[in-house]
């Protein structure tokens, strides 16, 4: 909850009632600027986008695995296969995205390192904690003085590129796959 009005919360509750679903549990968004005591540049949405970096502190301690979705995700099939995915000891599973070597360079990655789309992530929360991901993310954001390309997604990529299992696009069919033909994607993004 990054400031959702009571009226809109009630609207969301009504949708849940209409479709026979459980009600949302509202978790207060963490203000990263208060945590790191510096302003954070916003290039892709509200400040609340950074709240997912604090999963380990926000969610119940007993959880070992989390399936994260951005709010614009449409689920049209069972999540069981994704939930049970073997991520081969990695910290997260996500979609390998079509970013150029320049995006990678801007966040300190090599030109052929994995850069993923963070809209759908299967997270091994136990490994996240063991590997001190939150602390590493905050340190990275501070090292960039709060100005990270792609915001929280850029920080996640900078820290987790080598700890990511890449799953199939059927688990996160990003817009670029539909907006561009392959040859145009290669011109526009120049992925390695």
């Amino acid at each position: 909850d990054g400031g959702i009005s009571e009226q809109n919360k009630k609207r969301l509750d009504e949708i849940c009632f209409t479709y026979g679903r459980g009600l949302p549990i509202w978790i207060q968004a963490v203000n990263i600027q208060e945590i790191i005591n510096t302003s954070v540049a916003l290039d892709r949405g509200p400040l609340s986008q950074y709240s997912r970096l604090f999963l380990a502190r926000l969610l119940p301690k007993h959880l070992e695995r989390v399936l994260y979705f951005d709010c614009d995700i449409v689920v049209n099939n069972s999540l069981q296969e994704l939930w049970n995915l073997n991520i081969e000891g990695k910290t997260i599973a996500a979609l390998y995205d079509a970013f150029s070597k320049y995006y990678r360079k801007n966040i300190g990655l090599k030109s052929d390192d994995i850069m993923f789309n963070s809209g759908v992530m299967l997270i091994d929360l136990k490994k996240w904690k063991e590997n001190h991901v939150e602390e590493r993310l905050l340190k990275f954001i501070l090292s960039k003085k709060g100005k990270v390309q792609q915001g929280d997604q850029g920080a996640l990529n900078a820290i987790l590129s080598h700890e990511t299992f890449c799953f199939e696009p059927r688990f996160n069919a990003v817009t670029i796959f539909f907006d561009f033909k392959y040859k145009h994607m290669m011109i526009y993004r120049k992925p390695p």
Side-chain angles (χ1 to χ4, degrees):
D1 176 359
I4 301 169
S5 71
E6 288 304 315
Q7 181 182 7
N8 283 333
K9 286 181 183 178
K10 287 179 184 172
R11 287 178 176 155
L12 290 167
D13 287 351
E14 288 171 15
I15 293 170
C16 294
F17 283 128
T18 300
Y19 293 98
R21 301 291 186 242
L23 295 177
I25 297 170
W26 298 100
I27 300 170
Q28 188 61 46
V30 174
N31 184 331
I32 188 169
Q33 294 180 143
E34 291 175 1
I35 301 284
I36 63 173
N37 200 27
T38 193
S39 63
V40 175
L42 299 175
D43 70 345
R44 359 173 283 121
L47 188 62
S48 62
Q49 69 183 274
Y50 284 90
S51 288
R52 64 181 166 170
L53 306 184
F54 303 100
L55 289 169
R57 99 173 42 181
L58 293 172
L59 297 175
K61 302 289 182 220
H62 69 277
L63 294 179
E64 291 188 8
R65 190 170 251 209
V66 173
L67 191 51
Y68 171 85
F69 292 137
D70 273 352
C71 64
D72 62 350
I73 299 299
V74 175
V75 177
N76 61 11
N77 212 331
S78 170
L79 298 173
Q80 187 172 356
E81 187 178 1
L82 177 57
W83 178 257
N84 292 319
L85 192 65
N86 176 0
I87 64 173
E88 301 178 1
K90 302 288 187 175
T91 304
I92 68 165
L95 177 71
Y96 197 151
D97 209 340
F99 287 99
S100 75
K101 65 182 178 181
Y102 303 107
Y103 277 91
R104 288 165 169 78
K105 183 179 180 181
N106 288 340
I107 57 171
L109 296 176
K110 294 178 184 167
S111 62
D112 60 348
D113 282 343
I114 290 172
M115 201 161 170
F116 58 87
N117 178 286
S118 61
V120 174
M121 294 185 295
L122 179 60
I123 302 164
D124 182 330
L125 199 53
K126 189 176 175 189
K127 255 196 183 328
W128 181 286
K129 293 173 190 174
E130 288 171 0
N131 294 336
H132 307 282
V133 172
E134 180 181 316
E135 292 86 359
R136 291 165 48 210
L137 288 163
L138 295 176
K139 184 177 177 183
F140 176 78
I141 294 166
L142 276 169
S143 76
K144 297 289 187 182
K145 297 179 176 51
K147 295 178 181 146
V148 180
Q149 173 189 272
Q150 295 284 310
D152 63 319
Q153 178 171 270
L156 285 162
N157 271 277
I159 299 305
L160 295 171
S161 175
H162 299 113
E163 299 174 40
T164 300
F165 174 84
C166 294
F167 55 55
E168 299 171 34
R170 66 190 173 103
F171 293 124
N172 186 6
V174 293
T175 312
I176 193 170
F177 296 163
F178 302 96
D179 286 350
F180 297 100
K181 293 182 177 175
Y182 181 77
K183 71 177 188 172
H184 296 127
M185 190 181 340
M186 296 306 285
I187 293 167
Y188 173 65
R189 287 280 180 95
K190 294 182 178 73

